[in-house]
Amino acid sequence: MKPRTVAIDGSAASGKSTLASALAGRLKYLYLDTGVMYRAVTWAALKQNVDINDEAAVSELAEKIDLQILPSEVDDGRQATILVNGRDVTWLIRGPEVNVNVSQVSSYPRVRQVLTRQQRKIAQQGPVVMAGRDIGTVVLPNADLKLFIVASAEVRARRRHLECIERGETLNFDELLASIIRRDKLDREKPISPMIPAQDAVIINTDGLSQQAVLERVLALMENS
Ligand code: DC
């Protein structure tokens, strides 16, 4: 039987978002990349000059901002359109300042509580492929299929570097690699909702695999389960 809820967790640039989006397209399910929600809160805090270290202020902001994730209607490579208080922040939330601060914001329990609630609500609306760090462990512990996607830091940095070049941005490769390693450590070691595979997750290593090959592996897994 086809799984109704698919939880896909894994580190930055592991290929989980690409897989999740392709899988959702194939299954005709809703796709939600939960990382954009943490990024949107971080962007809003930076924009409003809220001190990122001020946990109470950042949490309050997360509770009151109007965050919307809409199907993409713009052909610029986006997988969804992200609105914060009505403003399109889809690309702004991918900037270096958000990259540096988002782990800190995502470590705040109240921020996680607000966003987890919204994520569960979205999953109640119908079949979904949801990607993040704690989907299989915390957000949807009863998901029908759980995948945990891994890849080496070098491979992931190379992927992100290529994406930046394609968008016309210049980013130093070594800095990118260092920031990925730093973020992994923070994500893995955060006291609440650390990035760990659920006990019943299938672990997939995407090193050396094309996006298509990863998708096919997962489709085969679904056929055989
Ligand atoms: O997947 P991403 O790089 O866009 O995620 C941005 C940040 O948000 C990353 O530091 C991990 C965090 N995150 C999280 O803590 N829980 C999730 N479910 C998704 C992302």
Side-chain angles (χ1 to χ4, degrees):
M1 218 174 57
K2 246 179 18 177
R4 255 182 78 83
T5 40
V6 183
I8 304 186
D9 292 301
S11 49
S14 59
K16 67 176 185 306
S17 307
T18 310
L19 167 66
S21 159
L23 189 62
R26 191 63 89 87
L27 298 171
K28 303 212 166 25
Y29 285 10
L30 181 75
Y31 162 55
L32 179 65
D33 171 10
T34 57
V36 301
M37 301 170 83
Y38 291 93
R39 288 174 174 276
V41 172
T42 307
W43 178 85
L46 292 166
K47 180 77 184 160
Q48 294 182 24
N49 289 321
V50 171
D51 178 0
I52 294 292
N53 294 308
D54 185 341
E55 182 170 348
V58 174
S59 303
E60 211 167 291
L61 179 80
E63 282 161 2
K64 70 171 197 247
I65 61 167
D66 174 24
L67 175 57
Q68 290 186 63
I69 302 164
L70 306 173
S72 163
E73 285 178 353
V74 186
D75 188 17
D76 64 355
R78 65 181 61 193
Q79 290 174 326
T81 292
I82 319 301
L83 301 182
V84 169
N85 296 332
R87 175 169 177 185
D88 185 345
V89 298
T90 308
W91 293 117
L92 295 173
I93 62 171
R94 300 280 165 196
E97 227 193 328
V98 170
N99 284 342
V100 168
N101 291 290
V102 66
S103 286
Q104 169 98 9
V105 169
S106 71
S107 73
Y108 296 150
R110 268 169 68 199
V111 172
R112 301 203 72 84
Q113 213 174 41
V114 173
L115 298 185
T116 297
R117 208 179 303 135
Q118 291 178 16
Q119 290 155 14
R120 287 184 180 144
K121 218 184 257 176
I122 291 169
Q124 278 165 6
Q125 289 164 11
V128 67
V129 178
M130 198 178 286
R133 302 290 193 288
D134 62 338
I135 310 305
T137 48
V138 176
V139 180
L140 304 173
N142 297 320
D144 300 320
L145 176 65
K146 297 177 186 178
L147 304 171
F148 193 84
I149 313 299
V150 298
S152 70
E154 286 73 19
V155 165
R156 290 183 289 130
R158 230 177 293 136
R159 287 181 188 150
R160 275 283 146 93
H161 195 229
L162 213 68
E163 281 168 20
C164 290
I165 292 170
E166 280 167 4
R167 285 206 300 268
E169 293 166 13
T170 43
L171 250 180
N172 179 285
F173 177 82
D174 292 334
E175 279 173 22
L176 197 63
L177 178 60
S179 103
I180 281 186
I181 291 172
R182 179 181 151 273
R183 209 136 60 86
D184 278 356
K185 186 168 154 53
L186 287 168
D187 286 343
R188 259 197 313 262
E189 293 176 0
K190 65 175 178 289
I192 55 157
S193 304
M195 180 180 66
I196 44 164
Q199 272 187 350
D200 50 349
V202 179
I203 298 180
I204 296 179
N205 188 323
T206 66
D207 275 2
L209 288 183
S210 68
Q211 295 172 357
Q212 187 60 27
V214 177
L215 176 64
E216 274 161 22
R217 189 169 288 195
V218 172
L219 291 171
L221 190 78
M222 284 168 52
E223 292 250 309
N224 298 325
S225 63

